[in-house]
Amino acid sequence: MNIQNLSREQLNERLSVLTDKYNEYKSLGLKLDMSRGKPGADQLEISNDLLDPALLGNYKASNGFDVRNYGILDGIPECKNLFAEIFDVPADNVIVFGNASLTIMYDYVAQCMIFGAGAEPWAAQKGIKFLCPVPGYDRHFAILEQFGIEMINIPTNENGPDMDMIDELIKDEKVKGIICVPMYSNPAGITYSNETVRRFAALKPAAKDFRVIWDNAYCVHHVTDTHDTLLNIFAAAKEYGNEDLFIEVTSTSKISFPGAGVSALAASDANIKAIKSRMTVQTIGYDKINMLRHANYFKNLDGIKAHMLKHAEILKPKFNAVLDAFDKNLKGKGIASWTNPNGGYFISLDVSEGCAKRTVELCKEAGVTLTGAGATFPYGKDPEDKNIRIAPTFPSRDELCKAVEILCLCVEISAIEKILG
Amino acid sequence: MNIQNLSREQLNERLSVLTDKYNEYKSLGLKLDMSRGKPGADQLEISNDLLDPALLGNYKASNGFDVRNYGILDGIPECKNLFAEIFDVPADNVIVFGNASLTIMYDYVAQCMIFGAGAEPWAAQKGIKFLCPVPGYDRHFAILEQFGIEMINIPTNENGPDMDMIDELIKDEKVKGIICVPMYSNPAGITYSNETVRRFAALKPAAKDFRVIWDNAYCVHHVTDTHDTLLNIFAAAKEYGNEDLFIEVTSTSKISFPGAGVSALAASDANIKAIKSRMTVQTIGYDKINMLRHANYFKNLDGIKAHMLKHAEILKPKFNAVLDAFDKNLKGKGIASWTNPNGGYFISLDVSEGCAKRTVELCKEAGVTLTGAGATFPYGKDPEDKNIRIAPTFPSRDELCKAVEILCLCVEISAIEKILG
């Protein structure tokens, strides 16, 4: 039953039925939150053994350094090695930071603003711009907006952003960079194709101080049994002598504990040197006790992969609950399309044009909090007002099923309201 | 025996004796480090129980929030309360950060550079300056130097910096602030007198965006049984409506674990708001598991005070070893003076003018690493080349005794060399 084909009378009838159902839900006084990519309570339990002090042994890192004391700017060796394996780069090209890759990115952009990226400080160059594949991560956009960097939307399909558009736009030397999630992207869950990664690697920006912030937040975060793979950007960039263009970050926030994990950066020799020259003034070193905990608990990439299977086991039924409800309630109605990702933390839902804000509002009134409509676009402005980020991880499966049921109702109600005008 | 009164012959004779002793030490191939304010191995043991996972209970903060998950920008309530008690300010005026107050200060200066402190960004105002009480903390100076902020030396006596000089200099609106350690200062170990704190509180800077970074790193770090006290700067500033001038920081780095502790900031309502508006983009929140650990372990200020007695017990003999050796080897020779602090991490040694660099060099050649001469002054330039920061905490007492013996030798050798010309 494609909604688009119904008569006004049929639509009014349908709206009346849906509104009754909606009001029923509303009267329940529900409080369901699908707004943020937060792991659920059961996922937190998986990593509790990480807090066992036995993991810290005699508090010595592999280089003999006491992790309880000051020192070691770029991270203890075993933790650098762990991230080197994750990034697939030499440990010398890794720096281990505190609990948040968001802070690494923020501080890196701040560094470029104040000190530049090998040229004049970005802050001194008026009117600089960044390219933002959309839909994207609202916290990325918030960083750029805070620093007054103009953001340009780059449409994305299942292979990644529109590379022709990017190639064209980077001829402008005011365009200083791109910020993106190349694997299990936030919110679409797509992974950039090999062809896309190679085109990133081959970029020829006019700006000499151009940087791609390659936020590989979900590099080991598979949900289904089919695992996406992402080409190593540094290996690809090497062929073009372009290693200096890329700043890659990740963290264990969604591997161990959100907010109490360890984050890391991979970059070229020159960028590592520049970043360390800033860091050595900003800190004596990040929390090495937490680094040792993580390194000794996970041991290596295989240890992390095994751990991620436990997360997947919890996440798979949640993702399926959303996808099943979409299939059951929205499919074939001509009012929505959605992604079906193999990993990450989100499903991207596109509703009818001009209906995202209204859908989110209807949900809110019925007690279901979604990520704000528009959040997946720079400045919070979705030009077509149709994208909604679905974060299925935080609620329990029961809550989630109820929430999605309500969401589907709201998608349809807003679509019909829109047609009826 | 005042060296200054000896004949050239007597001096040559004495130098020969000292040099023989020096060479004996040198031949031992020692490796002693008195360079940094690092707690010793025995101090690290004191806090090991902090790592007991039982302290984390069911992982819930007092507001019911699971500390393992994302969220809470400014710190969990019990940790805010703990720092509120330390700072003696309301908890609403506290933000809890990551492991380093150094990073809080760096990020705050960076924020002022990029976004300003209620006026034009500091970076956009050319030729801005900071006042630096000397001798002072090298890492403070490194922050200002990295941001290209001109530093002006302010002489300090046992009551604090020269407030007349400060009052005069802040008539220049290019002077944007002061950075200082008001209690058990680094390196002199002096605590600002009530009169000094009141004059800080009453400052009338020409710049509307003036800030005092009040680095209260050693607020509970007593070593002797006589405890210095510092007036509450916010209480004092309130009388003058000057609360917005002050950014106070501290951390547990030298209470629990250096590099794996918790840091915090106290500021006025307006400054807290401005800092949060930056932070909310820079992070989702700092490590709350570590906050809960600290809050539940220490419970309150009394808990911290009791814990600090254990540190003092270890530190007192070390400070005494240095002071005793100075008394024995340097007193009355007219070649050195030093401070005798009640707390903190350092003793400040002034050698003969023009002799600090040479003393440090001689020590280094004999295997004793000191903080670089000049480090206690902006740009590493001690105008009289006489101040040396002594950090007695890291070596064992035996090592320390040997190191100080060598240091005293080097102080005298360089003084005689200087007189002989």
Side-chain angles (χ1 to χ4, degrees):
Chain A
M1 177 200 58
N2 191 315
I3 297 290
Q4 316 291 335
N5 302 334
L6 299 184
S7 68
R8 286 191 73 85
E9 203 188 335
Q10 286 171 312
L11 284 170
N12 273 316
E13 216 169 280
R14 175 97 190 131
L15 183 59
S16 162
V17 173
L18 295 171
T19 304
D20 283 350
K21 259 206 223 172
Y22 174 78
N23 286 332
E24 243 174 75
Y25 276 120
K26 205 170 157 180
S27 69
L28 296 176
L30 298 170
K31 245 188 121 174
L32 305 169
D33 192 343
M34 286 204 297
S35 70
R36 303 296 324 173
K38 281 176 77 164
D42 35 6
Q43 283 180 272
L44 300 175
E45 299 298 327
I46 292 177
S47 307
N48 284 345
D49 287 348
L50 192 63
L51 300 168
D52 183 350
L55 279 173
L56 301 171
N58 62 355
Y59 309 105
K60 295 289 199 301
S62 58
N63 60 355
F65 209 95
D66 194 314
V67 295
R68 295 169 300 179
N69 219 330
Y70 284 120
I72 309 192
L73 184 64
D74 56 356
I76 59 173
E78 52 267 66
C79 206
K80 286 180 70 172
N81 288 338
L82 180 64
F83 280 108
E85 217 189 331
I86 294 173
F87 285 128
D88 192 16
V89 302
D92 284 346
N93 293 99
V94 171
I95 300 175
V96 186
F97 286 77
N99 72 329
S101 56
L102 185 68
T103 306
I104 303 180
M105 293 185 277
Y106 183 95
D107 287 3
Y108 184 70
V109 175
Q111 168 167 0
C112 293
M113 291 298 291
I114 305 178
F115 306 114
E120 218 190 338
W122 285 359
Q125 305 180 50
K126 298 294 163 202
I128 68 165
K129 303 167 195 173
F130 249 68
L131 308 183
C132 300
V134 289
Y137 180 29
D138 53 351
R139 291 187 187 272
H140 283 169
F141 306 147
I143 293 175
L144 298 170
E145 188 169 1
Q146 187 168 86
F147 288 114
I149 298 171
E150 188 187 328
M151 294 176 272
I152 300 173
N153 295 353
I154 306 291
T156 305
N157 65 24
E158 67 279 10
N159 294 311
D162 182 333
M163 296 308 296
D164 291 338
M165 188 173 170
I166 289 178
D167 278 335
E168 193 54 37
L169 286 166
I170 62 174
K171 291 178 184 167
D172 174 359
E173 65 175 350
K174 290 287 184 193
V175 173
K176 295 298 179 192
I178 306 173
I179 192 161
C180 61
V181 180
M183 185 159 177
Y184 297 139
S185 68
N186 176 349
I190 63 125
T191 298
Y192 293 2
S193 70
N194 293 353
E195 165 66 10
T196 297
V197 174
R198 285 197 196 97
R199 290 192 63 179
F200 262 96
L203 287 175
K204 286 200 174 67
K208 296 294 163 241
D209 49 356
F210 187 92
R211 291 292 180 272
V212 178
I213 299 179
W214 195 253
D215 181 2
N216 206 351
Y218 305 107
C219 51
V220 292
H221 300 61
H222 313 292
V223 171
T224 69
D225 297 335
T226 309
H227 293 185
D228 288 2
T229 55
L230 178 73
L231 274 195
N232 177 338
I233 186 65
F234 288 104
K238 200 170 183 177
E239 292 177 37
Y240 302 89
N242 255 351
E243 297 104 308
D244 289 347
L245 255 53
F246 297 92
I247 302 291
E248 183 172 2
V249 301
T250 197
S251 80
T252 71
S253 293
K254 285 162 183 136
I255 299 173
S256 60
F257 296 120
V262 178
S263 65
L265 166 151
S268 69
D269 295 345
N271 282 327
I272 289 284
K273 197 177 154 200
I275 291 167
K276 280 190 188 166
S277 78
R278 181 247 309 168
M279 278 177 74
T280 194
V281 177
Q282 191 180 17
T283 183
I284 303 175
Y286 288 95
D287 186 339
K288 295 183 298 298
I289 293 184
N290 210 29
M291 291 182 203
L292 187 61
R293 226 177 244 134
H294 279 76
N296 284 347
Y297 182 74
F298 292 116
K299 292 188 180 70
N300 51 38
L301 182 53
D302 280 340
I304 287 188
K305 283 178 179 169
H307 196 76
M308 293 311 290
L309 291 178
K310 298 179 201 166
H311 285 292
E313 210 173 300
I314 294 171
L315 292 180
K316 213 186 303 181
K318 292 189 177 180
F319 273 73
N320 285 340
V322 174
L323 294 167
D324 290 350
F326 285 178
D327 274 347
K328 188 182 121 212
N329 298 308
L330 299 177
K331 207 171 183 177
K333 291 190 178 167
I335 56 173
S337 63
W338 52 91
T339 57
N340 188 346
N342 288 322
Y345 261 64
F346 304 100
I347 292 164
S348 180
L349 172 69
D350 275 338
V351 297
S352 298
E353 201 173 323
C355 288
K357 269 205 181 109
R358 176 64 180 151
T359 302
V360 171
E361 184 187 86
L362 282 167
C363 279
K364 193 172 188 72
E365 283 168 20
V368 176
T369 306
L370 298 173
T371 308
T376 52
F377 285 77
Y379 310 106
K381 284 184 201 155
D382 176 355
E384 300 181 287
D385 184 28
K386 64 184 216 185
N387 187 252
I388 299 175
R389 183 178 82 165
I390 307 300
T393 57
F394 189 62
S396 69
R397 196 167 181 280
D398 283 355
E399 289 176 327
L400 186 68
C401 288
K402 211 169 284 170
V404 181
E405 203 71 38
I406 295 169
L407 166 60
C408 291
L409 261 180
C410 297
V411 169
E412 194 170 346
I413 290 173
S414 66
I416 296 177
E417 284 178 350
K418 179 84 182 176
I419 298 170
L420 290 173
Chain B
M1 177 199 56
N2 191 317
I3 296 290
Q4 317 290 336
N5 303 333
L6 298 185
S7 68
R8 285 191 76 81
E9 204 187 337
Q10 287 171 312
L11 285 171
N12 273 317
E13 216 167 281
R14 176 98 189 127
L15 184 58
S16 162
V17 174
L18 296 171
T19 305
D20 283 351
K21 260 206 224 172
Y22 175 77
N23 286 332
E24 243 173 75
Y25 276 121
K26 205 169 158 180
S27 69
L28 297 177
L30 298 169
K31 246 189 119 173
L32 305 169
D33 193 343
M34 287 203 297
S35 70
R36 303 296 324 172
K38 280 175 78 162
D42 34 5
Q43 283 180 272
L44 300 175
E45 299 298 328
I46 293 176
S47 307
N48 285 346
D49 287 348
L50 191 63
L51 300 169
D52 183 349
L55 279 173
L56 301 172
N58 62 354
Y59 310 104
K60 294 289 199 302
S62 58
N63 59 356
F65 208 95
D66 194 314
V67 295
R68 296 169 298 179
N69 219 331
Y70 285 119
I72 308 192
L73 184 63
D74 56 356
I76 60 172
E78 51 267 66
C79 205
K80 286 181 70 171
N81 289 337
L82 180 65
F83 280 108
E85 216 188 331
I86 294 174
F87 286 128
D88 191 17
V89 301
D92 283 347
N93 294 98
V94 171
I95 301 174
V96 187
F97 287 77
N99 72 329
S101 56
L102 185 69
T103 305
I104 302 180
M105 293 185 276
Y106 184 95
D107 287 3
Y108 185 69
V109 175
Q111 169 168 359
C112 294
M113 291 298 291
I114 305 179
F115 306 114
E120 218 191 337
W122 285 359
Q125 305 181 51
K126 299 295 163 199
I128 68 165
K129 304 167 195 172
F130 248 69
L131 308 182
C132 300
V134 290
Y137 180 30
D138 53 351
R139 291 188 186 271
H140 283 168
F141 305 148
I143 293 174
L144 298 170
E145 188 169 1
Q146 186 168 87
F147 287 113
I149 298 172
E150 187 187 329
M151 294 177 272
I152 300 173
N153 294 353
I154 306 291
T156 305
N157 66 22
E158 67 279 11
N159 294 312
D162 182 334
M163 297 308 297
D164 291 338
M165 189 173 171
I166 289 177
D167 278 336
E168 193 55 38
L169 286 167
I170 62 174
K171 290 177 184 166
D172 174 1
E173 65 175 350
K174 289 289 184 191
V175 173
K176 294 300 179 193
I178 306 174
I179 191 162
C180 61
V181 180
M183 184 159 179
Y184 298 138
S185 68
N186 176 349
I190 63 128
T191 297
Y192 294 2
S193 70
N194 292 353
E195 166 66 10
T196 297
V197 174
R198 285 196 197 98
R199 290 193 62 180
F200 262 96
L203 287 175
K204 286 201 172 66
K208 294 295 163 241
D209 48 356
F210 187 92
R211 290 292 181 272
V212 178
I213 298 179
W214 195 253
D215 181 1
N216 208 351
Y218 306 106
C219 51
V220 292
H221 300 59
H222 313 293
V223 171
T224 70
D225 298 335
T226 310
H227 293 185
D228 289 2
T229 55
L230 178 74
L231 275 195
N232 177 338
I233 187 63
F234 288 104
K238 199 170 182 177
E239 291 178 37
Y240 302 90
N242 255 350
E243 298 104 307
D244 289 348
L245 256 52
F246 298 92
I247 302 292
E248 184 172 1
V249 302
T250 197
S251 81
T252 70
S253 292
K254 283 159 183 141
I255 299 173
S256 60
F257 297 120
V262 179
S263 65
L265 167 151
S268 69
D269 295 345
N271 283 326
I272 289 283
K273 196 177 154 199
I275 290 166
K276 280 190 189 168
S277 78
R278 180 247 308 167
M279 278 177 75
T280 193
V281 176
Q282 191 180 16
T283 182
I284 302 174
Y286 289 95
D287 185 339
K288 295 184 299 297
I289 292 184
N290 209 29
M291 291 182 202
L292 187 62
R293 226 178 242 133
H294 280 77
N296 284 347
Y297 182 74
F298 292 117
K299 292 188 180 70
N300 51 38
L301 182 54
D302 281 339
I304 287 188
K305 284 179 178 167
H307 196 77
M308 293 312 290
L309 291 177
K310 299 181 201 166
H311 284 292
E313 210 172 300
I314 293 171
L315 291 179
K316 214 186 302 181
K318 292 188 177 180
F319 274 73
N320 285 339
V322 174
L323 295 166
D324 291 349
F326 284 178
D327 273 348
K328 189 182 120 211
N329 299 307
L330 300 177
K331 207 172 184 176
K333 291 191 178 165
I335 56 173
S337 63
W338 53 91
T339 56
N340 188 346
N342 288 323
Y345 261 65
F346 304 101
I347 292 164
S348 180
L349 172 69
D350 275 340
V351 298
S352 297
E353 200 173 323
C355 289
K357 269 206 182 108
R358 176 65 180 150
T359 301
V360 171
E361 183 187 86
L362 282 167
C363 280
K364 194 173 187 73
E365 283 169 18
V368 176
T369 306
L370 297 173
T371 307
T376 53
F377 285 77
Y379 310 107
K381 284 185 201 155
D382 176 356
E384 300 182 286
D385 184 27
K386 63 185 216 184
N387 187 251
I388 299 174
R389 183 178 82 165
I390 308 299
T393 57
F394 188 62
S396 69
R397 198 168 180 279
D398 283 354
E399 289 176 329
L400 186 67
C401 288
K402 211 169 285 169
V404 181
E405 203 71 36
I406 296 170
L407 166 61
C408 290
L409 261 180
C410 298
V411 169
E412 195 171 346
I413 290 173
S414 66
I416 297 178
E417 283 178 350
K418 180 83 182 177
I419 298 171
L420 291 173

